[in-house]
Structures are given as C-alpha cells and as structure tokens.
Amino acid sequence: MKITLLTVGKIKEKYLKDAIAEYSKRLSKYCKLEIIEVADEKTPDNASEVVENVIRDKEGERLLKYVKDDAFVITLEIKGKMMTSEELAEKIDTLGIRGVSHIMFIIGGSIGLGEDVIKRSDFALSFSKMTFPHQLMRVILLEQIYRSYRIIAGEPYHK
C-alpha cells in the first residue's frame, strides 16, 4: 500500500520534523510513505470570507495537481467522520482488501480546504471538533496511520 500525505505549508519546527521522521521510519515496515508539501498562501489578519475562499482555492489548485485518479482520497475536515483508532485501522485494511493500492490523506492550510478539494474527497475524516495547527496534525495523522498498521498486523499498541 502506498500512503501519501498531501499537505499545505512547510514544517519549520525541528521537534515536528523529528517526530515526522520517526513515524516515517516506523511506517516504512508497513507501507510506502510519501509526503508532499505545497506552498501556502499568506492569510491577512481579519481576512474577509471572499479573501479566505480565494486563498483556499489557490491552495486547493496546488493540492489537486498531485491527486492521482486511482487514489482513494481522505481529507481531514472538522465536519468529517470521527473514528476510533480501531475504526481507522479497519478502514485502511478494508480499502486494501478492496484493491485500493494508494490512499492520499490531505491536510489543508490554516483556514482549511477549498471546495474543489472537498468535492474530490472520497472520505472526510475528523480527529476532533477542536482545531489543531495543521503542522502538528501531520504528526498526529502519521501516529494514527502507524497505530492502524500495528492493529492490522495484530501487534501490540498502547490503548
């Protein structure tokens, strides 16, 4: 299985880079992992809804350039479905059984995803009703993907 994280913005903080590197290394045992970063747009303070939509659309165009037709796309959205770790593991496992060989997880920028990206999504996933920094979300998502593969393999994991 190939897993792609398609994300807006670059990681600047060393502690986040270190965590991403660690989970990338751990995941190499289970899947082929690819992380693609696209440039983010500067969002002015107190930006209007119109300006925010333009920004989301620009970032969305950049993201969609990398989305493969045969990929199963999972977008991270506050309004998405919340799942337990076991349910996410089952989702990944079931997709593999159904013959899906490429899952793309998309993490938007600081103001979320554009409408075209949401339309392309095959599944909307939410980690919480709370908002997290999109850079930190990469680490959380990678940890959960790693946990999913441990569950699928019947290996121990911390509950």
Side-chain angles (χ1 to χ4, degrees):
M1 174 78 71
K2 181 176 180 181
I3 302 283
T4 300
L5 260 64
L6 183 53
T7 66
V8 174
K10 295 216 176 290
I11 300 288
K12 296 169 188 76
E13 298 83 357
K14 184 182 179 328
Y15 71 96
L16 292 174
K17 286 181 181 179
D18 290 347
I20 289 166
E22 177 63 28
Y23 283 111
S24 296
K25 185 177 89 179
R26 290 182 188 189
L27 276 165
S28 67
K29 175 181 173 184
Y30 302 100
C31 66
K32 183 179 183 328
L33 177 68
E34 173 183 42
I35 299 175
I36 300 170
E37 297 175 331
V38 302
D40 57 347
E41 291 287 316
K42 294 286 180 238
T43 305
D45 291 338
N46 302 317
S48 68
E49 187 65 29
V50 172
V51 170
E52 286 189 352
N53 284 335
V54 168
I55 291 168
R56 281 190 283 266
D57 289 345
K58 283 182 183 177
E59 291 174 346
E61 284 175 28
R62 291 181 193 132
L63 290 167
L64 290 171
K65 285 180 186 172
Y66 291 95
V67 175
K68 308 289 184 224
D69 289 341
D70 64 341
F72 188 89
V73 175
I74 299 177
T75 46
L76 272 62
E77 304 177 42
I78 289 175
K79 294 178 182 170
K81 179 175 173 35
M82 284 194 230
M83 304 176 95
T84 64
S85 296
E86 292 83 1
E87 288 169 335
L88 180 60
E90 185 179 334
K91 179 91 175 160
I92 291 170
D93 194 34
T94 300
L95 287 170
I97 291 167
R98 284 190 7 216
V100 172
S101 61
H102 188 188
I103 300 173
M104 295 188 87
F105 289 89
I106 300 180
I107 302 173
S110 60
I111 58 171
L113 293 167
E115 204 53 47
D116 288 342
V117 176
I118 291 169
K119 284 180 189 162
R120 173 55 183 91
S121 177
D122 296 303
F123 185 80
L125 175 64
S126 174
F127 276 77
S128 173
K129 290 182 181 179
M130 291 185 273
T131 303
F132 295 101
H134 57 284
Q135 298 93 334
L136 180 59
M137 202 59 230
R138 287 188 215 184
V139 176
I140 295 169
L141 175 59
L142 284 170
E143 190 280 331
Q144 284 299 304
I145 294 169
Y146 172 68
R147 185 179 297 262
S148 292
Y149 276 108
R150 301 272 302 180
I151 292 168
I152 292 164
E155 296 170 353
Y157 67 98
H158 190 273
K159 291 187 180 185

